[in-house]
Amino acid sequence: MDAAIDCRDLSKRYTRNAPYALKDLTLSVMPGEVYGFLGPNGAGKSTTIRTLLNFIQPTAGSATILGQDIVKNSVAIKRSIGYLSSDMSMYPKMTGHEFLTYLSELQPATKPAYRQELAKRLKTDLNKRLSDLSRGNRQKVAIIQAFMHQPSVLILDEPSSGLDPLMQEIFYDLLNESKQRGAAIFMSSHILSEVQKICDRVGIIRDGQLVVERNIAEMAKEAAHTFEITFADQPPLANLRKVPGVKVASHKGANVTVHLRGELTPLLAELAKHEVVKLDARQLDLEEMFMRYYNGQEAQ
């Protein structure tokens, strides 16, 4: 199966002597995959999205969407893309209905009734002027315009920003439905619990460079071997470090966090020699991993 989005050494700098805002980005997103694109402000996420959409052109490298070059075939590509910006501009005097009708004429929907279905599910009043809507309700209209023509590729920049928890869940349902019909989804987000919940893979960008790609399922498997241990007395740190496959990730007072790769039995055997007050297996913590890479530390 060919990648829906395919970047090869994609690079961008805004002036000749400026540092690269995006440097040698190589990644791919497959049909039916949700790819989470993470990074702090200024890391290069928006530059990547703008370059993929040909709002700005790359300095070097190349990328294709659905097999077509993002520069040479930009207009044709946009027929198959649903795009949601992090701060979408709208015509304030238009109603939601007028705005979506206008966009439908630019990019016709395959199933016109789907727009109304989306409005109903998101509890959106399309008869109100956009200027009269709250930020969360404007975000609902923005989501409808991205999804209503059921595109083959969705490029979403902070898509659930401004939504209440109930609407976030409905939005996640829409993402899953798009994934099930084979759409490729490239999504930036600062809500790490959201990324952890809905993404298949994540890429973390720092200073314009992709520093890691990880599979969420693999991360979950690793996280199942992260333990938080509270000892009654001083933790036996030296002995713990000698246990095969164990790395002491952090310790404070009587509390120790360890990562385990390999068999659990040697660790339990060591713990049996000491008075353990509490032992917890921690769930997947994407934020911890994100911060480790952001700070330039090697992931363990």
Side-chain angles (χ1 to χ4, degrees):
M1 185 182 297
D2 294 332
I5 300 174
D6 191 29
C7 301
R8 290 289 175 262
D9 298 321
L10 193 66
S11 301
K12 176 64 182 181
R13 60 180 176 184
Y14 290 95
T15 62
R16 181 175 296 178
N17 296 320
Y20 279 91
L22 184 66
K23 180 67 173 175
D24 296 333
L25 177 68
T26 297
L27 62 79
S28 60
V29 184
M30 304 303 292
E33 179 179 37
V34 182
Y35 188 100
F37 200 48
L38 310 182
N41 291 334
K45 300 189 303 297
S46 292
T47 295
T48 301
I49 288 174
R50 290 169 185 158
T51 304
L52 284 173
L53 293 166
N54 200 41
F55 296 158
I56 55 176
Q57 293 193 348
T59 304
S62 64
T64 60
I65 295 178
L66 300 173
Q68 300 185 85
D69 185 89
I70 58 169
V71 176
K72 296 176 182 177
N73 306 111
S74 174
V75 174
I77 286 172
K78 287 181 173 64
R79 298 191 185 104
S80 301
I81 290 179
Y83 169 56
L84 178 58
S85 71
S86 58
D87 186 18
M88 185 172 179
S89 297
M90 298 180 179
Y91 299 102
K93 293 183 179 181
M94 283 186 174
T95 65
H97 177 75
E98 290 168 341
F99 178 67
L100 295 174
T101 298
Y102 170 65
L103 293 180
S104 293
E105 291 174 355
L106 295 173
Q107 190 178 30
T110 54
K111 296 180 180 178
Y114 187 55
R115 182 176 81 184
Q116 196 58 39
E117 179 187 333
L118 291 172
K120 184 176 180 180
R121 291 173 67 178
L122 291 166
K123 296 179 170 57
T124 308
D125 185 352
L126 298 181
N127 294 314
K128 288 185 177 181
R129 281 191 176 187
L130 295 173
S131 59
D132 294 334
L133 297 178
S134 66
R135 181 171 180 269
N137 282 320
R138 286 197 302 273
Q139 187 69 7
K140 293 179 189 178
V141 175
I143 290 170
I144 292 170
Q145 69 79 31
F147 282 77
M148 65 184 182
H149 55 287
Q150 298 181 298
S152 300
V153 173
L154 282 157
I155 297 179
L156 311 173
D157 195 358
E158 303 292 339
S160 66
S161 176
L163 298 180
D164 63 42
L166 177 60
M167 289 298 108
Q168 285 182 356
E169 290 300 321
I170 293 172
F171 170 70
Y172 300 155
D173 289 341
L174 295 177
L175 278 180
N176 187 58
E177 289 165 15
S178 297
K179 172 184 172 178
Q180 294 303 316
R181 64 174 174 78
I185 302 165
F186 184 81
M187 184 182 85
S188 77
S189 177
H190 283 303
I191 305 174
L192 298 176
S193 59
E194 170 179 274
V195 172
Q196 175 179 322
K197 181 175 182 177
I198 63 178
C199 292
D200 300 298
R201 282 191 299 145
V202 296
I204 296 176
I205 188 171
R206 187 180 70 233
D207 298 328
Q209 293 187 290
L210 190 69
V211 294
V212 66
E213 278 188 318
R214 295 295 300 275
N215 182 290
I216 291 287
E218 292 174 357
M219 289 171 59
K221 181 184 268 189
E222 291 178 13
H225 297 285
T226 298
F227 297 93
E228 294 179 344
I229 310 163
T230 301
F231 292 88
D233 301 308
Q234 189 70 17
L237 296 176
N239 290 344
L240 288 172
R241 291 187 174 106
K242 293 177 183 177
V243 176
V246 166
K247 176 177 177 59
V248 176
S250 65
H251 60 89
K252 183 177 182 181
N255 300 305
V256 181
T257 299
V258 301
H259 297 313
L260 173 65
R261 290 180 176 172
E263 292 294 324
L264 180 60
T265 303
L267 174 61
L268 294 179
E270 178 59 38
L271 295 180
K273 301 175 186 177
H274 309 275
E275 186 177 352
V276 175
V277 176
K278 189 177 181 182
L279 175 63
D280 287 327
R282 191 194 300 174
Q283 296 299 310
L284 171 60
D285 189 345
L286 187 59
E287 184 170 2
E288 180 180 333
M289 174 197 165
F290 170 76
M291 292 306 298
R292 191 160 63 234
Y293 279 104
Y294 173 49
N295 291 327
Q297 300 171 358
E298 182 180 1
Q300 300 298 331

